[in-house]
Structure formats: C-alpha cells, structure tokens
Amino acid sequence: MFSASKIKAVDFYRKIPRDLTEASLSGAGLSIVAALSMMFLFGMELNNYFAVSTTTSVIVDKSSDGDFLRIDFNMSFPALSCEFASVDLNDVLGTNRLNITKTIRKFSIDSNLRPTGSEFHSGTIANAVKHDDEVDEEFVEGALPLTSHSFDKFIQQFPITVVNFYAPWCSWCQRLKPSWEKAAKIMRERYDPEMDGRILLAKVDCTKESDLCRRHHIQGYPSIRIFRKGSDVRSDHGHHEHESYYGDRDTESLVKTMESLVASLPTGSQHLALEDKSNGTENVKRPAPSTGGCRIEGYVRVKKVPGSLVISARSDAHSFDASQMNMSHVVDHLTFGKKVMPRALSDVKHWIPYIGRNHDRLNGRSFINTRDFEGNVTIDHYIQVVKTEVVTRKGYTLIEEYEYTAHSNVAHSINIPVARFHLELSPMQVLITENQKSFSHFITNICAIIGGVFTVAGILDSILHNTMRAMKKVELGKNF
C-alpha cells in the first residue's frame, strides 16, 4: 500500500505556502502583459487555423472533359464582310475543318463596330457552281458598263437592275463573262430597255471603279447584285434594297433567274412588288451585306494538340484581292474550357489572389492594321494554354479553368491575309489543393503559447525582482 506521503513525493507542481509568497507591482504588470500576449497569440493561432492554405503542384493533365477543349469567342472585323467570313480549324493530327457554321453566328457591323441588322445567314451554297461548258470567243457584249457617274442613273431608271461586279484578272470572272454577256444580250432582246424597260443587266469593273465597289461592300469577285427599285424605299434613304446572287453561272441558269425576276413585277407596272413571289431563285438569292464589317461569335471544340483557329475570307466561287483585304479585328471575348461563374471566381480569389488573371487575357484588345504595312497583312496570335484546377480538402473540384499567354504579330503574307490563332495546349496542369489542418496541432500550439508566455514572464519577473533587491542592498550599504 502506498501512503499519502509517498504519492506526494512524485508531485511535479509542488506548492509554496501562501504565507511565504509576496505580491509586487512589477509582477502584476508582467502578469497583465503576459495575459494580453496570450490572448493576442491565441487569436493569431485561431485565425491561422481557420485560414485556407494551399499547395501548388504541376501534374500530368488528366482532364475530365476528354480529348477536346471548347473555345468561346466573340470578335469584330470592321473590314471583313459576313458574306465571305469563314471560321476554320486545323491541327497537327490532320484535322482540317473549313467554314464552320453550326456553332457560329455572324452579325453585320459598320466601321465603328455597331450592329446594322439581325443575324446574317449564309444559306446553302452549292459546292460546285455551274458554268458554260463551251466558250464562244466571238460573243457580243450585251451587258451595259456602268461607272460611278452613271450607276445611280440607271439603278433609278429600271425596276430591276442586275449588276456583275468583277475584276479582269479574276479567273472566276473570266469564266462568268461569256455566259453573262450572252444572258444580257438575250434579256435585252426580250425586254428592250428603251421599249420595255423592266430589267437591265450591267457590269462594273472594280479595278477602274474601286470607290463604287467599295461603296457597295464588294470584297469577292465576281459579285452579282440584284437591285430593286421601289418608290417607298427610294423616298426613305435614296437607296434600293438589293440582294446577292449565288446560283449557277451558266447562260441557261442566268436567263431563267432573270425571267423569274421579271415575273415578280406587277402587270402593267414598272414598280416592284413588296414581296418576291418567285420560288425559282429563293435558294440562290439572299440579302446583300449592308455594311462591310462582321462580328463573329460562337464556339468550337478542338483536340488538345497544337493547332490553329483561322478566320479569313473564303469562297469556292469567288476570287479575292489580297492587297485590299484588311483583317483588323477587336477581340471582345476569347476563353477556353468551361465557363467559370464570376461569383465562384470571386470567392476563390479571397484565398488565391493570383487565380483567374489570365483566363481572358485578350479580351477587349484591338489589332488594327493601319495600312502602314500596305497589303497582304496577316495577324498572328501565339497562344499557350495551361489548365488550372482548384481542389478542396474533401477532393471536390471548386474551379477548373484554362489560363493562357498570348503574343501577337503582324506579318506580310503571299496568300490571302487571315487572322490566325496558333494554339499550344500544355500536357501538364497546375493543381492547387487546399491543405488539411490538424486540430491536435492547433491544441499543441495553444499549449505551447500559454506555457511559453507564462515561463518567459516568470523569468523576466525573477530577473526584475532580483535586480530590485540588489539595488536596495546597495542603497542600504551606502546609507549605513
């Protein structure tokens, strides 16, 4: 049996009798300072325990979105017509998608990037436009040449005027010329401009009448425009509603189309009805672009390999003058991957300030060719994309975003100028993981704070007390 005296012998905290202890002002002051220090350090430790800390690592990208990456964009091209604007994709694996339309929308804009109408619909264009098989070298020119001075006069004179805007060097224009002249001669014989006056076929050489072609936003050759005269339209703004023709270019098809246009006119009147009742040309006529610019928006999905997103002028039946093409543009929006909600991004930024700084790096930037480089100017953007993923302590993915760097360059090109976005997708990703904090570690730190402050305060009190006693003894020795 252990007696009480033996048990007391192992007491680590032996007490000094109260009548042997003495309170002092210095001890009281140190006690107050020690208590305040304990409270301050306890608050800091508690704040650190509840604060979020992260660990950043670089690992191989094992994305849940598979082998494809979505690119959302909204870009404005003040000098590229929606009539020919094309979005293309290609990559190192051989993917080559031309003129993507399923997920792309186009809107006509003016030179100040203001929208000028509803969505522009490209419609269905045949892959191969038919031309005359045999070319008669002795054909008689039947189309009336128009100039800047005579254009408005004849447009206002005839209910329907069909104009071929061409360039002599254009191969497509050269193939169209025989059938166009034949069709014009046939229509002139059937509907004499002086006796009948219901329709006129004309032509404009855009190399000589560049201002006239620019006024009608001609960017591809040949461009066939159908001008309709209507008193109501003329009284509003002095111009005529007009359409573009995209059908076959052989003589028979042209004559058939012109006949359907004449048939749409009211009997006994030279004014055009408000609605075109012809069904034969609905699939080859569409409203002509009212302005020369285009805003392109939508999304595409690309493989996670090096490739390019290219925006250019494209057509299987038109030629383009590279020296006159201007691919200046404004990037309103360009992001990669799933859309990150602003609120979620804002919440994460409280504990990861650098997150989300580069996921929209090109947004709002303008890339304008001021013609200082003359023509044939291609604008290249070199983009390197890296995935960043933020994971909570429980393994839940809080944010999954793609950030990128971008370097742009303006260069001369021997081909048709384009706006090209070179894509380099990193096989690695940045993983930001929230650290798990131990409660036992927190308690240990609290005990260390209390014990440490108490011990340090005790040492200081002992030093101060002994110093004051020594000073008193010195004073007594001097007095006695």
Side-chain angles (χ1 to χ4, degrees):
M1 295 292 296
F2 292 99
S3 62
S5 59
K6 291 183 179 181
I7 295 177
K8 288 180 180 181
V10 298
D11 184 8
F12 292 157
Y13 308 100
R14 300 191 178 191
K15 281 73 178 177
I16 300 174
R18 237 176 233 284
D19 54 354
L20 297 179
T21 60
E22 179 184 357
S24 64
L25 289 176
S26 60
L30 279 174
S31 298
I32 294 174
V33 172
L36 293 176
S37 300
M38 290 180 188
M39 294 176 61
F40 174 73
L41 294 175
F42 173 79
M44 291 186 62
E45 184 64 26
L46 184 64
N47 181 68
N48 183 62
Y49 176 73
F50 286 111
V52 178
S53 63
T54 60
T55 300
T56 302
S57 56
V58 178
I59 63 173
V60 176
D61 184 7
K62 297 181 179 179
S63 302
S64 59
D65 49 5
D67 297 329
F68 289 88
L69 177 64
R70 172 168 169 155
I71 305 176
D72 289 271
F73 59 88
N74 186 335
M75 305 178 194
S76 298
F77 291 78
L80 175 63
S81 174
C82 288
E83 187 177 16
F84 302 112
S86 173
V87 179
D88 308 329
L89 280 176
N90 59 78
D91 59 40
V92 296
L93 295 181
T95 301
N96 192 21
R97 299 171 59 194
L98 303 178
N99 196 17
I100 301 172
T101 58
K102 186 176 181 180
T103 58
I104 303 298
R105 302 176 66 190
K106 303 175 186 176
F107 299 87
S108 295
I109 58 175
D110 59 19
S111 58
N112 296 319
L113 310 184
R114 293 190 298 259
T116 58
S118 57
E119 181 179 353
F120 182 89
H121 295 281
S122 299
T124 302
I125 302 177
N127 292 328
V129 177
K130 184 179 178 182
H131 292 78
D132 283 344
D133 295 330
E134 298 181 359
V135 178
D136 185 2
E137 297 181 356
E138 299 181 356
F139 64 88
V140 178
E141 294 191 1
L144 177 67
L146 297 180
T147 65
S148 299
H149 301 288
S150 62
F151 187 86
D152 290 337
K153 172 186 175 182
F154 285 99
I155 292 298
Q156 296 174 7
Q157 181 178 350
F158 292 87
I160 296 180
T161 306
V162 188
V163 182
N164 171 25
F165 293 89
Y166 71 98
W169 52 263
C170 164
S171 59
W172 292 106
C173 301
Q174 295 168 5
R175 295 186 64 183
L176 170 64
K177 183 177 180 179
S179 55
W180 184 258
E181 299 295 345
K182 288 181 183 178
K185 181 181 178 182
I186 294 173
M187 297 306 294
R188 182 184 289 272
E189 293 174 352
R190 294 181 184 180
Y191 307 95
D192 190 340
E194 296 182 0
M195 302 297 296
D196 188 292
R198 281 182 284 179
I199 188 171
L200 174 69
L201 270 68
K203 58 184 178 182
V204 174
D205 185 349
C206 288
T207 60
K208 297 179 179 178
E209 305 294 335
S210 57
D211 292 338
L212 177 61
C213 293
R214 193 176 299 111
R215 178 155 58 97
H216 289 282
H217 313 294
I218 305 300
Q219 296 184 2
Y221 310 110
S223 290
I224 301 175
R225 299 283 196 259
I226 303 169
F227 294 85
R228 303 171 179 272
K229 186 177 90 169
S231 57
D232 57 329
V233 176
R234 184 177 175 182
S235 63
D236 286 341
H237 47 70
H239 298 287
H240 303 289
E241 299 297 339
H242 58 287
E243 298 168 304
S244 293
Y245 173 78
Y246 298 98
D248 290 329
R249 297 173 182 171
D250 60 295
T251 303
E252 182 181 355
S253 299
L254 290 172
V255 172
K256 183 178 179 181
T257 300
M258 304 309 156
E259 288 284 3
S260 66
L261 293 174
V262 174
S264 67
L265 292 170
T267 305
S269 173
Q270 291 187 351
H271 291 290
L272 178 66
L274 295 179
E275 296 183 0
D276 183 10
K277 297 180 176 58
S278 171
N279 294 323
T281 58
E282 286 182 354
N283 61 337
V284 295
K285 293 191 293 83
R286 294 195 303 276
S290 57
T291 54
C294 188
R295 175 165 59 86
I296 305 173
E297 65 178 45
Y299 70 92
V300 294
R301 291 174 62 85
V302 300
K303 294 180 180 179
K304 292 185 177 180
V305 295
S308 297
L309 170 67
V310 182
I311 298 177
S312 63
R314 178 177 298 279
S315 175
D316 293 330
H318 295 81
S319 298
F320 302 97
D321 185 355
S323 64
Q324 299 298 317
M325 298 297 296
N326 187 347
M327 295 305 296
S328 297
H329 57 275
V330 177
V331 180
D332 301 303
H333 177 76
L334 177 65
T335 57
F336 296 83
K338 300 176 182 178
K339 183 178 179 180
V340 180
M341 300 305 294
R343 182 174 180 180
L345 188 60
S346 177
D347 292 341
V348 173
K349 278 189 173 183
H350 286 299
W351 44 286
I352 311 177
Y354 56 83
I355 198 75
R357 290 182 178 177
N358 298 303
H359 76 283
D360 54 359
R361 192 178 184 88
L362 288 179
N363 286 17
R365 294 187 59 183
S366 301
F367 302 91
I368 306 299
N369 174 23
T370 58
R371 296 291 184 182
D372 294 339
F373 296 93
E374 299 179 351
N376 297 68
V377 174
T378 288
I379 302 178
D380 288 301
H381 304 279
Y382 297 89
I383 297 177
Q384 295 176 310
V385 186
V386 179
K387 180 182 177 181
T388 301
E389 188 175 3
V390 181
V391 180
T392 64
R393 65 183 69 181
K394 296 181 179 180
Y396 171 73
T397 300
L398 195 60
I399 278 185
E400 184 178 283
E401 65 157 3
Y402 287 82
E403 300 193 355
Y404 62 90
T405 61
H407 304 278
S408 303
N409 181 54
V410 177
H412 288 273
S413 173
I414 61 175
N415 301 315
I416 298 296
V418 301
R420 184 183 292 109
F421 295 81
H422 301 270
L423 306 176
E424 289 285 345
L425 304 175
S426 174
M428 311 300 289
Q429 76 167 67
V430 177
L431 181 64
I432 303 175
T433 308
E434 182 183 5
N435 292 333
Q436 181 74 35
K437 292 187 177 180
S438 171
F439 181 74
S440 60
H441 188 267
F442 168 71
I443 294 298
T444 302
N445 287 348
I446 294 300
C447 293
I449 288 172
I450 296 174
V453 172
F454 186 82
T455 302
V456 171
I459 294 173
L460 292 176
D461 179 66
S462 177
I463 294 173
L464 183 61
H465 180 70
N466 292 330
T467 302
M468 292 179 67
R469 286 183 61 188
M471 291 176 63
K472 286 183 179 181
K473 289 182 178 181
V474 171
E475 289 179 358
L476 291 174
K478 288 183 178 180
N479 293 331
F480 295 96

